[in-house]
Amino acid sequence: MAFQSPKGTYDILPGSPFLAVRDGLLAPSVRAGYAYVEAPVFEDTELFSRGVGASTDVVTKEMFTFPERGLTLRPEGTAGVVRAVVEHGLQRGQLPVKLRYAGPMFRAERPQAGRFRQFQQVGIEALGVTDPALDAEVVALAADAFTGLGLTGVRLLLTSLGDPACRPAYREELGAFLAGLDLDDATRARAALNPLRVLDDKRPEVQALLVDAPLMVDRLCPQCTAHHEGVLEGLAALGVAFEPAPRLVRGLDYYMRTTFEFVHDGLGAQSAVGGGGRYDGLSEAIGGPPLPGIGWALGIERTVLALEAEGVSVAPEAGPAVFVVPLGAAAKAWAVAFVGALRTAGVATDLAYGDRGLKGAMKAADRSGARWAVVVGDRDLEADVAQLKDLTSGEQTAVPLSELLEQLL
RNA sequence: GUGGGUGUAGCUCAGCUGGUAGAGCACCGGGUUGUGAUCCCGGUUGUCGCGGGUUCGAGCCCCGUCACUCACCCCA
């Protein structure tokens, strides 16, 4: 074969659960009033370096950038949505602004199980208010997204990352603590860049050194504490279970206060199926007005992996309800017109194309999943009837052509 | 960017100490001059990833290369 899809990309082919999973993940948010938006797939590079954080891995080594144009394929969805909100002044209307989106994201990473260079996410954002009850709603909608698809093994990790009032002091305290540890050079460099990120190091020997590390949740300012407690109350009211995750750190710099991640243990090394949090400073970081916000993004590919791991099947796309099998030239001409009429009337219909034998055509009818087969030969047309066969029971009756359409509605 | 694994039919794979390719599924046709999902019979599909080397002979051994894959890192 001459070409193949580029590294880290894949084709969605017939039979894929992609559409059902994408729409299923967003269904609870639709019911909660989150309106659909779609921002461009590429934006000014600076939107991401300023929004996501210039020191993050996502920005420093994973972006697909067109330097000569100053544009970058979006590595995540939030920055673009917030940019669109600010650009169009949506925050001047009724608050909160509740939005949902879906689409491809791009990161130039080495592919791996559940990790692609072009991957698909769905997401929601709620902007304009800091009410902790809204945080709880947002988190609950992600939890519902997974359970609504039939998943039972998704765990919610949740914490508070503090805010500009309390995080700088904590960050300094943690930095001082880390400076007293015997760490390798790479980890030390990370500590200098963002000490918080050292906390979720996977290596057991590093975790052992961190048992006595100070935790953000113990250093929250009164406002952050009150907000966090409000979120926990809201989650309790909504019946959403979670695991406190005081060491949870996310790779995007804009998160503050409520921060969470959804993980699944059946995916291989990449266990996160979704994540999000509050990003009250993001709008200002990209030159907008003060505009608090909270949101999440869920990975479609990883959700599919989770469904496979749990053995949960997703309903495939519906096929035709009626399959028409013509025998002979006159019948073929009649069938083409009849299929058109059925479709116009709103009935999903397909036709045996290609002049194959009756046996092959019936096989095609069976595979289409249609409930009804309409078999018409020239001798039926002479009698003004068609054979209507119930493919479930196998029963077949001759129906006058004048009554056929009505019977199939 | 760094490591490990794997490349044989559309898919999943077998192929003995080197002797010039196979199964299942899928697909197509027939068994039934007008009836599917079962059953029976038959058939199509391969530069054995690519290049070089060793050998009388390479799918198998050696070298290189590319691709895929898993993991580190990071994240959805």
Side-chain angles (χ1 to χ4, degrees):
Chain A
M1 190 165 55
F3 293 105
Q4 57 184 6
S5 73
K7 182 194 287 287
T9 67
Y10 66 99
D11 300 307
I12 296 169
L13 297 172
S16 164
F18 175 83
L19 273 185
V21 171
R22 184 193 70 184
D23 295 344
L25 286 173
L26 282 176
S29 300
V30 174
R31 292 193 289 269
Y34 288 73
Y36 185 75
V37 294
E38 193 161 319
V41 164
F42 54 84
E43 301 265 5
D44 284 329
T45 300
E46 215 180 320
L47 174 69
F48 300 121
S49 54
R50 284 165 60 183
V52 176
S55 72
T56 60
D57 282 22
V58 168
V59 167
T60 55
K61 54 183 206 188
E62 296 171 4
M63 294 211 299
F64 279 104
T65 293
F66 307 99
E68 71 282 5
R69 299 182 190 280
L71 298 170
T72 292
L73 257 28
R74 65 184 179 194
E76 57 93 52
T78 300
V81 169
V82 172
R83 190 227 85 227
V85 167
V86 170
E87 179 174 338
H88 301 286
L90 300 187
Q91 79 281 8
R92 293 170 182 276
Q94 183 175 283
L95 301 179
V97 179
K98 294 164 78 167
L99 305 170
R100 71 177 199 277
Y101 63 87
M105 307 296 162
F106 306 84
R107 293 184 198 173
E109 302 180 272
R110 193 82 168 262
Q112 202 179 323
R115 194 173 76 181
F116 300 90
R117 292 185 156 195
Q118 173 175 340
F119 59 101
Q120 298 276 346
Q121 288 187 334
V122 301
I124 69 171
E125 314 290 351
L127 301 122
V129 303
T130 51
D131 186 347
L134 182 61
D135 297 39
E137 169 179 295
V138 166
V139 172
L141 288 172
D144 290 348
F146 294 120
T147 54
L149 285 173
L151 289 169
T152 56
V154 175
R155 294 181 291 126
L156 166 60
L157 311 179
L158 183 127
T159 192
S160 172
L161 289 183
D163 69 8
C166 51
R167 186 154 56 181
Y170 164 72
R171 188 174 159 140
E172 214 160 296
E173 181 186 356
L174 178 63
F177 172 85
L178 293 175
L181 298 180
D182 181 28
L183 299 169
D184 60 275
D185 289 348
T187 309
R188 200 164 284 286
R190 254 201 300 165
L193 211 55
N194 183 352
L196 290 261
R197 219 164 291 161
V198 177
L199 282 181
D200 71 341
D201 196 304
K202 279 184 193 169
R203 293 168 294 181
E205 65 271 24
V206 175
Q207 280 302 322
L209 295 173
L210 296 171
V211 286
D212 295 322
L215 296 174
M216 185 70 241
V217 284
D218 299 324
R219 304 291 190 274
L220 295 177
C221 60
Q223 290 81 2
C224 284
T225 301
H227 186 88
H228 193 52
E229 284 170 359
V231 174
L232 301 191
E233 282 169 25
L235 289 176
L238 289 164
V240 176
F242 70 96
E243 301 171 22
R247 288 152 193 269
L248 178 66
V249 183
R250 316 226 60 245
L252 285 55
D253 277 354
Y254 50 60
Y255 289 116
M256 58 172 283
R257 289 196 175 169
T258 308
T259 302
F260 52 92
E261 195 165 289
F262 289 87
V263 298
H264 194 280
D265 296 323
L267 308 187
Q270 312 302 321
S271 61
V273 291
R278 182 162 278 285
Y279 46 84
D280 291 355
L282 175 58
S283 172
E284 289 137 293
I286 62 173
L291 181 62
I294 180 167
W296 45 246
L298 314 180
I300 296 179
E301 294 86 357
R302 290 188 189 176
T303 301
V304 170
L305 287 178
L307 288 164
E308 286 169 2
E310 290 193 24
V312 179
S313 60
V314 175
E317 207 167 11
V322 178
F323 198 95
V324 180
V325 177
L327 295 163
K332 178 72 170 290
W334 174 88
V336 167
F338 184 66
V339 165
L342 267 180
R343 289 174 179 167
T344 302
V347 180
T349 309
D350 207 350
L351 171 62
Y353 287 104
D355 298 319
R356 50 206 310 212
L358 177 62
K359 180 173 178 149
M362 287 306 293
K363 196 176 265 196
D366 182 53
R367 285 178 195 152
S368 77
R371 170 73 191 277
W372 302 101
V374 174
V375 182
V376 193
D378 293 350
R379 76 185 188 212
D380 296 304
L381 286 185
E382 283 170 26
D384 267 329
V385 298
Q387 305 298 325
L388 179 60
K389 182 167 188 174
D390 183 335
L391 290 171
T392 308
S393 67
E395 285 174 36
Q396 179 171 311
T397 54
V399 176
L401 294 182
S402 56
E403 299 171 17
L404 188 57
L405 184 87
E406 198 177 336
Q407 276 211 26
L408 289 170
L409 290 180

